[in-house]
Amino acid sequence: QVQLVESGGGLVQAGGSLRLSCAASGRTFSLYALGWFRQAPGKERDIVAAISRDDSTTFYADSVKGRFTISRDNAKNTAYLQMNSLRPEDTAVYYCAARSARGDYYYTLSSDYYYWGQGTQVTVSS
């Protein structure tokens, strides 16, 4: 079992930056592959970025490539999502997710994940 808590959301103008954090407690953080998802009102929960448990591989949705960076610090039991050049269409609730995994695997479907945080709101004004 692992508990996830997101933080760092807020209101930002278009072109600005935010860094989301996902703090984990419970079992060994380094055993888990991680993902960031987002869900806008009336829309499905979509993958934003994912990272393997050993930090060797990452995935980004096309819509955020070159603007967002996923990272993790296993010593601090924390994952991050650095979001630059934010756009109004990035507005959503952002969720951190985790699942046990092999070293270099990442996962992009929400159904692949076992554990979820409560979400943090990101609002980008135009």
Side-chain angles (χ1 to χ4, degrees):
Q1 190 86 359
V2 61
Q3 293 78 43
L4 304 172
V5 178
E6 302 96 335
S7 61
L11 173 64
V12 64
Q13 288 189 331
S17 298
L18 284 173
R19 187 176 81 156
L20 305 183
S21 298
C22 174
S25 60
R27 290 192 174 181
T28 307
F29 183 70
S30 61
L31 294 179
Y32 293 90
L34 304 170
W36 284 98
F37 289 76
R38 66 186 180 187
Q39 188 167 21
K43 295 189 176 181
E44 295 185 350
R45 190 173 296 188
D46 293 327
I47 184 72
V48 175
I51 189 167
S52 60
R53 76 177 234 192
D54 64 0
D55 204 6
S56 65
T57 55
T58 58
F59 168 87
Y60 294 94
D62 287 344
S63 59
V64 306
K65 278 182 183 176
R67 301 189 297 124
F68 291 11
T69 303
I70 188 172
S71 61
R72 63 189 299 161
D73 185 336
N74 287 344
K76 294 183 178 180
N77 283 7
T78 304
Y80 304 97
L81 185 68
Q82 178 66 43
M83 306 187 295
N84 298 329
S85 302
L86 282 161
R87 304 167 180 169
E89 53 263 40
D90 295 317
T91 295
V93 177
Y94 282 71
Y95 297 90
C96 176
R99 63 156 290 156
S100 56
R102 215 180 73 177
D104 60 352
Y105 274 30
Y106 60 75
Y107 299 85
T108 60
L109 300 178
S110 58
S111 57
D112 288 330
Y113 287 87
Y114 307 152
Y115 307 108
W116 291 85
Q118 82 290 348
T120 186
Q121 176 70 47
V122 171
T123 303
V124 184
S125 63
S126 56

